Amino acid sequence: MRKSQSSLGIGIVLAFFVCFGLVRLSQISTTNPLSIILFAIFTLAFSKFFGWHRYHSANRYTKIPALALGILLSIFTVAGARADIQGTLSSHLFIMVVFLCSFMGFTILYYIAVLSFIIGTKRLVINTTSKVSSSSKLAKFLPYICFFSCMIFWLPWFLINYPGVMTIDSINQFGQAIGAIAPSNHHPYFHTLVIKGFVLLGNTLFKSVTIGIALYTIFQMFSMAFIFSYFVKTCCQLRVKMKYIFCTIAFFALIPYNGIMSVTMWKDVLFSGCMLLFSTCILRFMADRLHMMVDFGYTSRVLFVISAVGISLFRANGFYIFLAILPVLLFAFRKNIIYIFIPCVFSLLIVCSIRYPLMNHLQVENVSFIESLSIPLQTIGRVYYEDAATPEETAKWNKFIDTEKIPDYYYPSVSDNMKALMHMGNEEYIENHKSDLLRLWISSGLKHPLLYAVGWMDATNGYWYPDIECENPIACDTGIIPNSYGLTAKPVVSGPAVIKLQELLLKLPVLFPVYGMFWSIGAFVWAMLILFTKLICGENKGLCIAFVPSILLLLTLLLAVPVACEFRYGYGFILCAPLFVISAFLDEY
């Protein structure tokens, strides 16, 4: 009886803070009947939770990671929704109390939710020990079912947008491919070379640039479908139950953005595909070491090299991701170093040969140093936007950028304006005084830490908080934008009915709450962190290494991303989501 009363008392106190935070977040009034309903539900749920036998049987190695993640997610929520939580309050004391109580409430909520998820799904295993599941006729055909399902369901997007979707970036790369623009690594030139190859192929065989672009689009569709089918093959070899594999196939084939991205000429699409392929190869390496694989051969090592090269060359931050994961892989496989050493070295040799001797031979212009200053420019931009800089600081900053124009150029979620303003200055001086710029940025940050934090949050929030609207929503670009090369869209299928169907498909995530999360980069990042936490609390901790490429991707975005919420930049997290789920719920044989 006393234990029950104690649990009820704890539930009431915790429910109060949770409801406080949710009411501030949702901006409903304190007299809204929903607030008392929430309070009653959470009071009951928490009192039951603290009386749950599984909670009491959980050890500190489960509770501490859950609490740490709860605190992190609470920080993300308070930071990402700070305007909603603050509301119309102006008193600094009231604001501090509101944020503190909200932080406590969200921490409690996320801690209990994460811990409940970990201990509640502890016995949930998605693979089976039955050898029949991996050798049955259906299992053998599942990779092919995945491949052809993707191609069939993506085909309408190809026909509607024939020969493919080309945006400003795509047109710029096309101009380089045909020699109309000097080669530049602003958009990874390796990807431009791939485009150039297909444009030349279309010209040579069919005397048509349009067909060349279509051939590139088909190549990209085939590549992505192959990567997805290879992941499905890995799931079959890991003896994942059929219902989960079919859910994975449905995710790849039916979610509209996979079809849209497959026909869009962006380097981010192939980069994201390589992220999944690379992570799949790592999962296979580790699973084989843990004796969880049925089949393992040289194919995975070849695909490891291909994906490592793709990650390193299809996007600028990819090379740093690959370099950062090398010591992790070598350490993880230190007892069987030859397993991974040769593929890693071979990948590195190929990447370095292309990045340096080949690019120098082709006289590819390197990316300007200013292009790497997105986050520093956004943080100092916030200082001047709030008119908080001192005259001494301004005198120093004027050597690098026209500070008088910063308030007009600064846009919280996109750094392009600030970079354009810095490009107007003396770029040679900036290149020759990088260390001075770094020291100045650090010293200004020490004087204005809060404004730097606000500038960083506004510049990155789409990658760590789910409820952020992307600057460039998926599918806002269709066909080929107007250009000076005479390229135009030639849709095979068109008409009012097609347009209406597209609009309907793209409105569904706005209408349906749960489905809408499938279109949020931040939601997938949260899922990755939750599943990673579950994995480190379990017995198969070694599989955590399959998460490392995506975690490194997140870190590079937080350090240098130019747009706060750009779907294509976070597409790698989305494609790797099935791998996160599979890894977190695998059991040893």
Side-chain angles (χ1 to χ4, degrees):
M1 183 68 178
R2 289 182 178 179
K3 185 176 180 180
S4 176
Q5 291 178 343
S6 175
S7 296
L8 179 61
I10 294 173
I12 291 173
V13 174
L14 298 184
F16 169 78
F17 285 104
V18 171
C19 288
F20 185 97
L22 290 177
V23 165
R24 298 302 305 182
L25 179 65
S26 59
Q27 294 184 299
I28 65 175
S29 67
T30 54
T31 56
N32 190 307
L34 182 60
S35 63
I36 194 65
I37 293 174
L38 288 174
F39 178 74
I41 291 173
F42 282 116
T43 298
L44 179 62
F46 291 162
S47 60
K48 292 291 184 181
F49 175 80
F50 287 104
W52 190 19
H53 70 279
R54 288 196 186 182
Y55 166 75
H56 293 287
S57 63
N59 57 37
R60 60 178 180 174
Y61 298 108
T62 300
K63 293 180 179 178
I64 292 176
L67 178 60
L69 182 58
I71 292 172
L72 180 62
L73 297 182
S74 181
I75 292 172
F76 288 165
T77 303
V78 172
R82 63 185 187 278
D84 293 333
I85 293 172
Q86 179 177 338
T88 58
L89 295 176
S90 57
S91 168
H92 292 296
L93 178 60
F94 274 42
I95 292 172
M96 183 176 69
V97 171
V98 163
F99 274 100
L100 180 60
C101 291
S102 298
F103 171 75
M104 291 174 61
F106 293 133
T107 299
I108 294 166
L109 178 62
Y110 294 140
Y111 166 66
I112 293 177
V114 171
L115 186 58
S116 298
F117 174 75
I118 293 173
I119 61 180
T121 60
K122 187 175 182 180
R123 298 175 185 174
L124 176 60
V125 178
I126 65 171
N127 58 319
T128 175
T129 57
S130 172
K131 292 184 178 181
V132 177
S133 64
S134 61
S135 60
S136 66
K137 292 182 179 179
L138 180 58
K140 291 179 179 179
F141 281 103
L142 282 175
Y144 300 100
I145 292 173
C146 178
F147 181 88
F148 288 108
S149 295
C150 289
M151 294 303 295
I152 290 170
F153 285 102
W154 296 349
L155 182 61
W157 297 107
F158 176 61
L159 298 177
I160 292 168
N161 295 284
Y162 184 86
V165 177
M166 296 182 70
T167 65
I168 295 175
D169 291 354
S170 312
I171 294 298
N172 180 275
Q173 288 185 272
F174 175 81
Q176 295 180 51
I178 63 174
I181 301 176
S184 168
N185 218 21
H186 180 76
H187 302 294
Y189 194 69
F190 181 74
H191 183 244
T192 303
L193 288 176
V194 175
I195 296 171
K196 183 176 183 177
F198 283 99
V199 170
L200 290 175
L201 183 63
N203 262 332
T204 303
L205 298 181
F206 306 99
K207 308 299 180 183
S208 171
V209 171
T210 299
I211 293 179
I213 296 170
L215 289 174
Y216 168 84
T217 306
I218 293 170
F219 160 76
Q220 184 167 272
M221 293 169 68
F222 268 77
S223 298
M224 298 300 286
F226 168 78
I227 291 169
F228 297 161
S229 62
Y230 185 70
F231 174 72
V232 167
K233 180 181 179 180
T234 300
C235 291
C236 293
Q237 292 178 334
L238 287 168
R239 304 178 190 175
V240 174
K241 295 173 184 176
M242 293 294 178
K243 59 183 177 181
Y244 297 108
I245 295 179
F246 277 113
C247 288
T248 300
I249 294 173
F251 172 77
F252 289 140
L254 299 181
I255 299 290
Y257 51 64
N258 289 325
I260 299 168
M261 297 294 277
S262 72
V263 300
T264 301
M265 189 184 283
W266 278 338
K267 77 272 186 185
D268 310 277
V269 179
L270 290 175
F271 168 82
S272 300
C274 287
M275 280 289 295
L276 174 59
L277 183 58
F278 187 66
S279 301
T280 301
C281 291
I282 293 174
L283 175 62
R284 292 174 69 92
F285 288 149
M286 184 56 69
D288 180 67
R289 181 184 168 190
L290 297 174
H291 307 292
M292 298 173 67
M293 292 294 296
V294 177
D295 177 38
F296 180 77
Y298 289 101
T299 301
S300 293
R301 301 179 195 185
V302 173
L303 293 177
F304 175 90
V305 172
I306 293 172
S307 59
V309 171
I311 285 175
S312 302
L313 297 177
F314 279 133
R315 212 156 74 184
N317 60 336
F319 182 55
Y320 303 107
I321 292 172
F322 179 57
L323 289 180
I325 201 173
L326 281 179
V328 178
L329 291 174
L330 295 176
F331 177 79
F333 292 93
R334 61 192 180 279
K335 294 181 180 179
N336 307 95
I337 193 72
I338 198 68
Y339 230 17
I340 200 74
F341 182 76
I342 293 176
C344 285
V345 171
F346 195 55
S347 303
L348 190 60
L349 287 174
I350 294 174
V351 171
C352 290
S353 298
I354 294 174
R355 278 180 63 93
Y356 302 108
L358 179 61
M359 294 303 173
N360 290 337
H361 175 73
L362 296 175
Q363 297 181 327
V364 179
E365 181 185 357
N366 289 324
V367 182
S368 169
F369 171 66
I370 293 173
E371 293 299 320
S372 64
L373 298 178
S374 291
I375 298 302
L377 286 174
Q378 289 300 91
T379 52
I380 193 61
R382 190 73 190 195
V383 173
Y384 280 92
Y385 182 75
E386 299 286 352
D387 194 24
T390 64
E392 293 78 11
E393 285 180 284
T394 300
K396 295 176 181 178
W397 275 108
N398 276 332
K399 296 177 182 179
F400 298 97
I401 190 170
D402 188 349
T403 56
E404 289 187 2
K405 295 181 179 179
I406 289 179
D408 296 326
Y409 276 75
Y410 174 75
Y411 186 69
S413 59
V414 180
S415 66
D416 286 349
N417 292 351
M418 288 293 293
K419 288 189 289 187
L421 181 59
M422 185 166 254
H423 276 299
M424 295 177 190
N426 189 341
E427 291 196 43
E428 184 177 354
Y429 180 86
I430 295 170
E431 287 283 347
N432 295 331
H433 294 81
K434 295 177 183 177
S435 58
D436 294 337
L437 178 60
L438 176 61
R439 283 193 291 270
L440 178 57
W441 180 72
I442 293 174
S443 64
S444 294
L446 294 175
K447 295 177 182 177
H448 312 284
L450 183 59
L451 291 178
Y452 264 43
V454 171
W456 176 82
M457 288 187 291
D458 287 343
T460 62
N461 54 14
Y463 307 102
W464 45 263
Y465 186 60
D467 193 18
I468 300 294
E469 185 176 353
C470 286
E471 290 289 331
N472 186 29
I474 187 67
C476 70
D477 297 304
T478 56
I480 300 175
I481 67 166
N483 58 86
S484 58
Y485 304 112
L487 297 175
T488 56
K490 302 178 187 294
V492 179
V493 178
S494 61
V498 172
I499 296 173
K500 287 294 183 183
L501 181 59
Q502 279 185 300
E503 291 178 354
L504 175 63
L505 288 174
L506 299 175
K507 282 181 179 178
L508 291 180
V510 179
L511 297 174
F512 296 98
V514 177
Y515 179 60
M517 284 295 184
F518 282 88
W519 296 67
S520 168
I521 303 169
F524 279 92
V525 171
W526 280 34
M528 175 183 72
L529 296 174
I530 292 170
L531 292 168
F532 180 79
T533 304
K534 172 177 170 52
L535 195 52
I536 63 176
C537 293
E539 297 177 356
N540 295 327
K541 295 180 177 62
L543 296 180
C544 287
I545 195 170
F547 287 65
V548 175
S550 295
I551 292 173
L552 291 173
L553 172 61
L554 176 61
L555 293 177
T556 59
L557 291 176
L558 298 183
L559 292 173
V561 71
V563 184
C565 187
E566 180 79 8
F567 191 87
R568 56 178 171 151
Y569 293 157
Y571 192 45
F573 304 122
I574 294 172
L575 292 188
C576 288
L579 180 141
F580 301 150
V581 175
I582 297 299
S583 301
F585 290 101
L586 280 178
D587 191 24
E588 293 186 20
Y589 302 137

